[in-house]
Amino acid sequence: MLWLASIAVAASVASALPSTDETDSNNAPTISVVSPNLTTKWFDGSDLIQVVELFAYNTHKTRFLTKSHNLTLTIDSASLDTVLPGTVKRLAPGQRALVQVGVKNKAGVKAGAPCHGKAKATAAGSQTAASADLAGSCGIGDFTNTAESLLTHRTPDWFDRSKYGIFIHWGLYSVPAYGSTGKNENYAEWYWKWQHNPNDKTRTYQYHLETYGKDVNYDDFAANFSGKNFDPKEWVDLFADAGAQYFVPTTKHHDGFAIFNFSTSISRRSTVHYGPRRDFLAELFAAAKQHQPHLRRGTYFSLPEWYNPSYKNGGGSFAGGPPTNPYTGKTLDYTGYVEVHDFVADVQAPQMEALAYAYDTEMLWCDIGGPNKSADVMSKWINWARKQGRQVSYNSRCGLKGDYDTPEYDPNPKHPFDRKWESSRGMDPYSYGYNHVTPDDQYMTGEEIVKTLIDIVANNGNFLLDIGPAGDGSIPAIMQKGLRDAGAWIRGHNEAIFNTTYWSVTAGADPLRYTATADAFYIHHVGKPGGVVDIPDPVPYLPGDRVKVVGGTAHGSEIRTKWTGPGTLRLVLPDKVVEGDRYVWTFEIEYVR
């Protein structure tokens, strides 16, 4: 992988003192251009200005690239005009930067037409311009319903910049709200499935029998799923207080019971027709648009349903229905069931389309995969959204590769830097849905949330943190406290989190993590530092740069430094800085030259 090569080069020159004399043209760095890619995304807010992404490498062993070199990246093509040149303001020896260049098709070139050209880099003092061949589709054309076409779709930049979202698991399973504790805990939202296994470690089979009796069936919980304390404004205000930039409610889990509306010709299994008789998703999205319009809106959707009589060929835990009583073996009605010919074509796909078009979701967050028509759904939805000027995204669980991967309860998986990923987990030790037997002291604290977020962002991931409201729609106080504690820290440090990118050399080794922008580099010290912090990695610092505190009571204070070459930066922290923050201490290297 490219970033591994970058580490090797950087490590080989760590002991060499780089040249920083920018008045001598002989001291210009050596730049190369690698892997230019005509992407299928465009600059937000633009008239479909296409994004070309490429890597600019400083391949010289000792010379830094600085702002004074005026590095500019453009595209030279008979089919394209460069309208937004790319720039790089700092590159240490042996390191790279991901750069975006904006292009538009020349007159007469059809959107999506094949084209070619060269990506070029020029810098003041360079003897020759670096270049690399470029080939692909010019302009943003239509996607077709093939896996090959959809493989070219990319995660929108707004998703990459957002970094932190709130996941919400709320459904019938929130009424019994049980998943055991400690080593026996498992996802409470799987209550109905665990209930069918007397030997499951959660002992849900026994819990249900002792608590409700054998004649109370899972679908009976619809009568108690009241949502009487559900206040959509309070929810979205909490998400904003938490510092989140997007949210993803569970619109239908594996039990098939939805919180949104769709045609009654395919199913009536939702809160619109049973229980509270409310469209909770519409209420929540309306509140977000009115009160917290900056929050992006996504929708979790389970492709299969455990016990839908029309679902076939899922296999494993998703073999289909009809449901049975776990204690008597009696076949049960599947509440709201409408007989259809083909579950995938007649239920799954139309429900996904309802989320895409009627609810204007910006992310389709699928789960499980299995039989699907996702290629049809996604291609039409993406094309439709583009005509509205909207960039949308879908994850890796729709039966397609998707725009980004979705590990769960795994905050730092072994993952390539350059493939976008989003790690999700509950505030609960091991449940997304509300588990009423989890002790308060087992929930994630604000400190744990912040430290997890920083680690994930430094590794090119997003953090989707889940809450599990109770059946009445209230969010447990312990969850609210953790979210708000984290949010207070995030708001004071947001410049070092949102709109940043990862550092291709390394995410950092404990206790250090790194993020970057075009204008600055950020060092995160996870946990309270001492009076001296040594940075062993070749961060892009040069003498004369300003190092400042980000966040806390010492925000903006300049830090004294010592440096003799890459991998030798030392930060000298006064007491007011050491005592001036909590959770994670963050420092900005501001590029002066």
Side-chain angles (χ1 to χ4, degrees):
M1 291 179 288
L2 294 175
W3 65 275
L4 290 176
S6 178
I7 291 174
V9 174
S12 70
V13 301
S15 62
L17 184 63
S19 170
T20 60
D21 183 359
E22 298 153 18
T23 63
D24 184 352
S25 62
N26 292 327
N27 282 330
T30 307
I31 302 299
S32 65
V33 177
V34 178
S35 303
N37 176 30
L38 276 159
T39 74
T40 54
K41 60 186 180 180
W42 62 91
F43 285 90
D44 287 339
S46 74
D47 181 23
L48 298 184
I49 296 176
Q50 186 177 11
V51 175
V52 178
E53 291 187 334
L54 54 87
F55 289 105
Y57 268 86
N58 179 0
T59 58
H60 203 279
K61 292 184 177 181
T62 60
R63 297 173 187 165
F64 272 70
L65 179 133
T66 67
K67 289 191 290 187
S68 67
H69 290 115
N70 296 317
L71 182 68
T72 303
L73 297 112
T74 56
I75 304 301
D76 184 8
S77 169
S79 304
L80 296 166
D81 288 322
T82 298
V83 294
L84 292 175
T87 60
V88 179
K89 297 180 179 179
R90 177 68 59 84
L91 267 181
Q95 296 182 21
R96 71 174 190 178
L98 178 65
V99 185
Q100 292 187 333
V101 179
V103 296
K104 291 282 285 185
N105 286 13
K106 292 182 183 291
V109 178
K110 184 179 178 180
C115 61
H116 58 86
K118 287 187 178 293
K120 291 188 173 182
T122 56
S126 294
Q127 298 299 313
T128 58
S131 66
D133 290 336
L134 172 73
S137 297
C138 288
I140 314 296
D142 280 345
F143 288 88
T144 63
N145 62 344
T146 65
E148 292 75 19
S149 175
L150 289 165
L151 273 174
T152 66
H153 191 257
R154 292 291 180 268
T155 306
D157 285 343
W158 64 255
F159 179 82
D160 187 39
R161 293 193 298 264
S162 294
K163 308 298 184 187
Y164 178 39
I166 301 297
F167 216 0
I168 309 135
H169 276 64
W170 188 46
L172 296 196
Y173 44 83
S174 306
V175 176
Y178 176 80
S180 194
T181 58
K183 65 181 181 180
N184 292 324
E185 184 181 15
N186 210 340
Y187 296 170
E189 65 275 14
W190 278 59
Y191 184 95
W192 200 7
K193 180 58 68 173
W194 306 146
Q195 187 192 355
H196 281 75
N197 182 2
N199 299 316
D200 183 74
K201 67 177 184 178
T202 64
R203 293 183 57 81
T204 301
Y205 176 94
Q206 292 81 5
Y207 173 83
H208 185 94
L209 185 62
E210 295 165 2
T211 307
Y212 302 105
K214 64 181 178 62
D215 295 324
V216 173
N217 297 309
Y218 181 83
D219 279 359
D220 294 334
F221 290 134
N224 301 103
F225 186 57
S226 66
K228 64 181 181 181
N229 292 321
F230 169 65
D231 185 327
K233 181 181 183 300
E234 287 185 1
W235 278 30
V236 297
D237 287 348
L238 174 62
F239 305 159
D241 287 347
Q245 304 298 302
Y246 63 101
F247 66 97
V248 182
T250 297
T251 65
K252 186 189 77 170
H253 204 258
H254 314 325
D255 60 1
F257 207 94
I259 64 166
F260 68 104
N261 197 22
F262 37 81
S263 172
T264 56
S265 67
I266 62 171
S267 176
R268 294 174 57 85
R269 190 173 174 81
S270 81
T271 57
V272 175
H273 302 291
Y274 296 94
R277 288 178 166 77
R278 293 170 64 180
D279 186 337
F280 288 126
L281 182 63
E283 294 179 38
L284 186 60
F285 275 19
K289 291 177 181 179
Q290 179 179 355
H291 301 291
Q292 301 293 345
H294 72 285
L295 291 174
R296 299 279 186 167
R297 304 172 305 280
T299 45
Y300 168 104
F301 179 82
S302 174
L303 270 64
E305 297 178 16
W306 280 320
Y307 303 118
N308 189 309
S310 297
Y311 185 71
K312 309 293 182 185
N313 303 319
S317 296
F318 299 89
T324 58
N325 183 304
Y327 309 102
T328 67
K330 178 183 176 181
T331 298
L332 302 172
D333 290 335
Y334 192 62
T335 302
Y337 174 66
V338 174
E339 186 174 357
V340 296
H341 174 69
D342 182 333
F343 173 85
V344 171
D346 300 335
V347 179
Q348 180 195 100
Q351 287 182 336
M352 294 172 73
E353 289 167 346
L355 294 172
Y357 303 117
Y359 291 87
D360 282 343
T361 187
E362 297 174 274
M363 293 161 275
L364 273 172
W365 209 105
C366 305
D367 203 4
I368 302 301
N372 67 85
K373 293 181 70 68
S374 292
D376 287 337
V377 173
M378 299 306 173
S379 58
K380 293 175 183 176
W381 174 50
I382 293 168
N383 294 338
W384 174 81
R386 185 194 71 243
K387 293 173 183 176
Q388 297 183 322
R390 299 169 58 225
Q391 300 193 71
V392 295
S393 190
Y394 66 100
N395 70 350
S396 58
R397 304 188 187 190
C398 301
L400 301 164
K401 186 174 179 63
D403 296 339
Y404 55 96
D405 296 332
T406 52
E408 57 188 62
Y409 276 89
D410 189 356
N412 195 358
K414 301 298 181 184
H415 198 278
F417 260 161
D418 296 333
R419 166 75 174 167
K420 188 64 186 179
W421 59 285
E422 176 194 64
S423 180
S424 69
R425 63 153 294 167
M427 293 185 71
D428 185 286
Y430 202 67
S431 182
Y432 289 88
Y434 178 47
N435 182 6
H436 80 272
V437 297
T438 297
D440 279 1
D441 63 4
Q442 295 299 302
Y443 284 94
M444 287 188 85
T445 63
E447 179 175 5
E448 291 169 326
I449 293 169
V450 167
K451 290 180 177 179
T452 302
L453 173 64
I454 292 299
D455 185 51
I456 289 172
V457 170
N459 281 279
N460 194 30
N462 281 20
F463 185 24
L464 186 60
L465 177 63
D466 179 81
I467 60 171
D472 64 0
S474 61
I475 298 172
I478 190 64
M479 296 185 191
Q480 295 191 44
K481 175 174 170 44
L483 291 175
R484 289 196 169 97
D485 285 350
W489 187 94
I490 290 168
R491 284 192 298 277
H493 303 75
N494 57 16
E495 70 176 79
I497 304 169
F498 307 116
N499 303 313
T500 65
T501 187
Y502 64 98
W503 187 33
S504 64
V505 173
T506 176
D510 290 340
L512 300 173
R513 295 292 183 269
Y514 307 111
T515 56
T517 67
D519 298 302
F521 187 89
Y522 296 94
I523 299 168
H524 305 272
H525 190 284
V526 180
K528 189 174 183 178
V532 172
V533 175
D534 287 317
I535 313 299
D537 300 304
V539 299
Y541 171 88
L542 282 174
D545 287 345
R546 286 188 288 269
V547 179
K548 298 185 293 184
V549 177
V550 176
T553 58
H555 177 73
S557 299
E558 196 160 337
I559 298 299
R560 189 160 57 90
T561 62
K562 294 182 179 179
W563 184 83
T564 57
T568 68
L569 180 62
R570 169 171 286 186
L571 309 182
V572 182
L573 309 182
D575 288 345
K576 71 172 185 177
V577 172
V578 173
E579 301 300 330
D581 214 335
R582 59 177 181 167
Y583 306 158
V584 176
W585 278 248
T586 300
F587 308 96
E588 174 195 6
I589 299 175
E590 180 186 354
Y591 305 145
V592 172
R593 53 181 173 148

